[in-house]
Amino acid sequence: MSPNHRSLWVKRILSLGVIALLFVVLCVGLSVFVTRSLTNGSAGWRNDMSEGHQWLHEALELTAQERAAIDSFEGQYHQERDELTREFDARIANLRQILVESDEYVPAVDRAIHRIHEVHGQLQELSIQHYYDMLSVLPPKKQDKLRELAVQALSQPE
């Protein structure tokens, strides 16, 4: 192999390496963008949920007895919500991977979206069950306040 031919071969290898590196950077950037777009910054949302839950307890002006009654099932609720949230994140990651790997709308996108909706529905169902659990331990006036707050929350798009 002549020196000129070897030099040309090295340049081609380096060019391919640079192109591959740029592709990886592009994929990572796209992945971050899609994740933030699809989850609307879900980490911040999760932080708001715990603060929002504390706000709800304060808005209802819970007594120590009411707080204790709610605390009896609150831990289980948070544990289940955390498990579903991890599953939601995993399914978002799966869709993200499909979007990065596919140049067209493929059946896997539909399946991934459906799987995300399943977990999202389970999260909604869990929250609504928690709402009813809270109603069951509150006195009538605080039940009315909780209903009012729930209706307002459902009227607000996220």
Side-chain angles (χ1 to χ4, degrees):
M1 190 181 285
S2 71
N4 283 342
H5 188 63
R6 185 174 293 142
S7 176
L8 184 60
W9 186 75
V10 169
K11 285 181 184 179
R12 285 183 182 167
I13 296 282
L14 287 175
S15 295
L16 286 175
V18 169
I19 290 171
L21 181 62
L22 288 173
F23 182 72
V24 168
V25 169
L26 178 65
C27 287
V28 169
L30 181 61
S31 177
V32 169
F33 173 75
V34 169
T35 299
R36 288 189 179 163
S37 296
L38 291 175
T39 62
N40 291 325
S42 67
W45 172 74
R46 264 187 229 99
N47 291 337
D48 288 347
M49 282 197 57
S50 61
E51 290 174 15
H53 214 72
Q54 180 62 32
W55 170 85
L56 178 62
H57 288 199
E58 291 169 9
L60 292 171
E61 299 175 359
L62 297 176
T63 65
Q65 186 178 19
E66 293 162 348
R67 195 177 312 267
I70 290 173
D71 284 347
S72 71
F73 52 79
E74 192 109 320
Q76 181 68 28
Y77 162 73
H78 286 288
Q79 180 182 350
E80 289 177 30
R81 190 190 76 209
D82 290 347
E83 288 172 14
L84 287 170
T85 299
R86 282 191 294 276
E87 182 62 27
F88 183 83
D89 290 343
R91 292 181 184 192
I92 288 288
N94 176 257
L95 176 59
R96 180 184 329 118
Q97 190 64 36
I98 294 167
L99 294 175
V100 168
E101 293 174 354
S102 179
D103 292 335
E104 59 186 46
Y105 197 98
V106 294
V109 172
D110 282 331
R111 285 190 300 275
I113 291 170
H114 180 71
R115 288 176 44 85
I116 290 167
H117 288 171
E118 286 175 339
V119 175
H120 188 252
Q122 291 171 350
L123 281 163
Q124 288 176 322
E125 185 178 339
L126 179 66
S127 293
I128 291 169
Q129 181 59 54
H130 185 58
Y131 161 81
Y132 284 112
D133 290 342
M134 290 177 69
L135 275 180
S136 73
V137 298
L138 294 174
K141 285 190 182 226
K142 290 186 181 177
Q143 287 177 355
D144 291 342
K145 178 70 174 176
L146 180 58
R147 283 186 189 99
E148 179 184 316
L149 292 169
V151 167
Q152 288 173 2
L154 288 174
S155 300
Q156 301 295 322
E158 296 228 5

